[in-house]
Amino acid sequence: MSTSENSYSEAEALNLLAQLERILDLDPLIDEVGFIHPSQLATLKEEIGNSLSSEDKDHESTSFWIRDHKLGISTQILIPVYKAAKHAFISALRQYKTPGNFSGKSQDDTVAIEVMIHSKALLLLSCDFATAWNSRKLIVSNKQLLPILMDELRLSAVVLSHSPKSEQAWSHRRWVINMISRNCSTLQWIIERESELVEKIAERSKMNYRAWNHRCWLVSFMTREQVLNELKQSRNWSGLHVADNSCFHYHRRLMIWNLEGFCHIQDNNSSGYFVETYQVWKEELDWNESLIKRYVGREALWLHRRFLSLYLIKHIATHLLGVSCQSKPKASVDIDIDSLMDHELCLVHSCSTTIPDANFEDFQAQAIHSAAYMLWLTKQIPEYQGINIQEKLQAGAGDLMRMLKRSCPDRSSLWDYLVGYHSEP
């Protein structure tokens, strides 16, 4: 066989496709697929020794490698096998959609199986082939059987193992979960496994917005107990990935869900619910502060704190003062807004004025982010229940100006304008 990927004959490409589909059929538990350069296949063959038959070894040495539910495909055959899979899939789909083309249900099922087989191989090679995903939705929706739906989750997970940012694969998972949610007693277990999958993929694929967006979507299916558990468990991962704003966005989605649940409670348990909600918020603030002090100059941490402080003051504390959610009884939690603001200003002061080395970029970033947080806070909450935040800012304006000009002297005129504007009585 020629080494050029364009020199494969149609018969050779079909034979390779048949090999791939046979492998997928014999091992339905394959959970990872990778594309391997031909030069690496010989090395992999040596590693597996004599554990496989000579026929399987020959296949693996030229095109495929399979072990422990991990499938490797030679990059040399990707184009010819893709073309063969696409042609076979389109042909089967056209036959499936042709009306009056079948004399019985068994023939219809046979063609549907062909569509599923060919689309599976095709999607492993071209993960964003929307027609293939949609054809599977069409066939699965006609059956609506839980084992088939679980197979769809397995397939999309395999696709995500090599294409973790595939929007089509993530969208397909959401469609499947929606189908499962209609009548399934194990939905909560599935949601837990789904959340674990996102975290596993996020570990390998940094800054994966699509994965975290999917995890945020899962929150609507969670119970309150699951939400609180997710919030606590995800802190470990987030604490090790402080530059990834997506994981903090997930935290915010969890906390908003919890807060919305409180605002919809109409019975006498709302007081206890409020105390717990406030405690969760306070724990998140304390955790965020510890990260800010530990990891200097990380903007994602300061953005998360904006959300926490604003919601705490404008929503939770507002309820305590009877401004909103007036139908709920006031909880026995003492939220001193004045002390809270003093604490925030103290944190900002310690982060913005204590700069061991002004030439170190992280300390410069910490100073700028903390100052931006202070200015943002005064703009969002200029006066609250008689507490003039502007006066508190004006008291520390001198230190703030010295810090800003020291860290970024080229923006002195901008700092003069911003601090002067926000310090006006």
Side-chain angles (χ1 to χ4, degrees):
M1 184 181 291
S2 302
T3 57
S4 173
E5 61 190 19
N6 294 321
S7 64
Y8 287 88
S9 67
E10 182 178 346
E12 290 171 331
L14 287 173
N15 181 54
L16 289 169
L17 174 61
Q19 290 183 40
L20 174 59
E21 292 177 345
R22 179 174 178 269
I23 291 173
L24 297 175
D25 180 59
L26 292 176
D27 190 354
L29 298 180
I30 290 175
D31 56 11
E32 189 172 344
V33 170
F35 305 117
I36 307 173
H37 192 273
S39 62
Q40 296 178 290
L41 290 175
T43 303
L44 292 174
K45 181 182 177 181
E46 293 177 0
E47 291 178 354
I48 64 175
N50 298 319
S51 61
L52 300 177
S53 66
S54 59
E55 180 181 0
D56 286 338
K57 287 181 183 178
D58 181 62
H59 288 164
E60 290 178 356
S61 64
T62 57
S63 305
F64 305 102
W65 179 88
I66 177 83
R67 188 182 184 188
D68 299 331
H69 310 303
K70 315 297 180 186
L71 173 62
I73 304 175
S74 172
T75 56
Q76 181 175 298
I77 68 168
L78 291 181
I79 292 179
V81 175
Y82 163 74
K83 291 179 178 179
K86 179 181 177 182
H87 182 270
F89 163 71
I90 294 297
S91 177
L93 181 62
R94 185 180 294 116
Q95 188 178 0
Y96 179 77
K97 288 186 173 182
T98 301
N101 208 26
F102 310 107
S103 58
K105 186 175 184 298
S106 60
Q107 287 182 303
D108 192 2
D109 289 342
T110 300
V111 177
I113 291 173
E114 288 186 13
V115 173
M116 296 294 278
I117 291 174
H118 297 319
S119 63
K120 183 175 184 178
L122 179 59
L123 288 169
L124 291 182
L125 302 173
S126 179
C127 62
D128 288 327
F129 202 111
T131 303
W133 288 115
N134 291 335
S135 68
R136 299 184 71 86
K137 290 185 178 72
L138 176 63
I139 294 173
V140 171
S141 61
N142 290 332
K143 310 238 179 228
Q144 296 193 27
L145 299 175
L146 183 59
I148 297 179
L149 291 168
M150 297 303 293
D151 286 341
E152 292 304 293
L153 288 180
R154 276 189 286 271
L155 170 60
S156 56
V158 175
V159 171
L160 290 169
S161 70
H162 67 80
S163 299
K165 295 184 179 181
S166 170
E167 180 60 34
Q168 291 288 341
W170 287 115
S171 177
H172 192 70
R173 294 190 77 81
R174 288 191 285 274
W175 179 84
V176 172
I177 292 173
N178 269 324
M179 295 289 288
I180 293 175
S181 67
R182 295 177 181 179
N183 186 21
C184 179
S185 58
T186 61
L187 179 62
Q188 300 310 317
W189 178 85
I190 293 174
I191 296 301
E192 289 178 6
R193 301 289 81 77
E194 198 73 3
S195 185
E196 292 173 0
L197 174 67
V198 171
E199 191 165 300
K200 179 181 177 181
I201 290 177
E203 187 64 41
R204 301 196 311 263
S205 175
K206 306 303 182 185
M207 309 294 182
N208 192 333
Y209 166 78
R210 291 178 176 86
W212 285 103
N213 183 59
H214 179 75
R215 201 176 188 184
C216 289
W217 177 83
L218 294 173
V219 175
S220 60
F221 293 95
M222 294 181 184
T223 63
R224 184 166 187 264
E225 182 180 359
Q226 282 182 309
V227 167
L228 296 178
N229 287 336
E230 280 284 307
L231 191 60
K232 292 179 180 179
Q233 294 174 5
S234 61
R235 284 174 183 165
N236 292 330
W237 195 94
S238 302
L240 298 175
H241 302 79
V242 293
D244 193 340
N245 189 55
S246 294
C247 64
F248 293 104
H249 180 71
Y250 177 59
H251 275 250
R252 294 192 280 274
R253 179 69 185 92
L254 290 168
M255 300 192 72
I256 289 176
W257 187 99
N258 189 43
L259 184 61
E260 288 175 346
F262 159 68
C263 288
H264 286 89
I265 288 183
Q266 299 290 337
D267 55 31
N268 293 329
N269 293 327
S270 62
S271 179
Y273 195 116
F274 172 79
V275 173
E276 190 173 354
T277 299
Y278 168 72
Q279 188 60 37
V280 168
W281 223 272
K282 187 64 170 62
E283 290 175 359
E284 188 80 1
L285 269 169
D286 293 341
W287 172 71
N288 173 260
E289 181 175 343
S290 67
L291 293 181
I292 285 176
K293 293 178 178 179
R294 186 184 311 160
Y295 300 102
V296 178
R298 298 299 185 266
E299 185 179 14
L301 298 176
W302 287 101
L303 294 177
H304 189 50
R305 194 164 192 85
R306 291 188 186 190
F307 162 81
L308 295 173
S309 59
L310 183 63
Y311 261 76
L312 179 63
I313 294 173
K314 283 197 170 183
H315 294 270
I316 299 180
T318 296
H319 165 72
L320 180 65
L321 295 169
V323 177
S324 65
C325 297
Q326 294 181 4
S327 60
K328 322 289 192 304
K330 297 179 183 179
S332 56
V333 175
D334 182 18
I335 302 180
D336 187 342
I337 304 300
D338 194 12
S339 298
L340 177 65
M341 293 308 304
D342 284 340
H343 179 80
E344 293 303 294
L345 293 173
C346 181
L347 171 65
V348 168
H349 185 270
S350 65
C351 292
S352 60
T353 59
T354 308
I355 307 178
D357 184 358
N359 296 320
F360 189 45
E361 290 185 1
D362 283 348
F363 285 108
Q364 291 180 359
Q366 181 83 325
I368 293 174
H369 294 326
S370 61
Y373 171 69
M374 175 188 285
L375 296 175
W376 174 87
L377 199 60
T378 58
K379 183 175 179 62
Q380 294 294 321
I381 317 169
E383 185 169 349
Y384 190 86
Q385 298 297 321
I387 302 171
N388 194 327
I389 310 300
Q390 304 288 357
E391 293 180 357
K392 294 179 178 291
L393 174 61
Q394 193 170 15
D399 292 337
L400 178 63
M401 281 296 299
R402 284 190 292 272
M403 177 277 303
L404 289 172
K405 290 184 176 181
R406 178 186 172 193
S407 58
C408 291
D410 56 322
R411 299 183 180 180
S412 296
S413 59
L414 176 62
W415 306 139
D416 287 333
Y417 169 75
L418 289 177
V419 176
Y421 170 76
H422 284 276
S423 299
E424 291 178 359

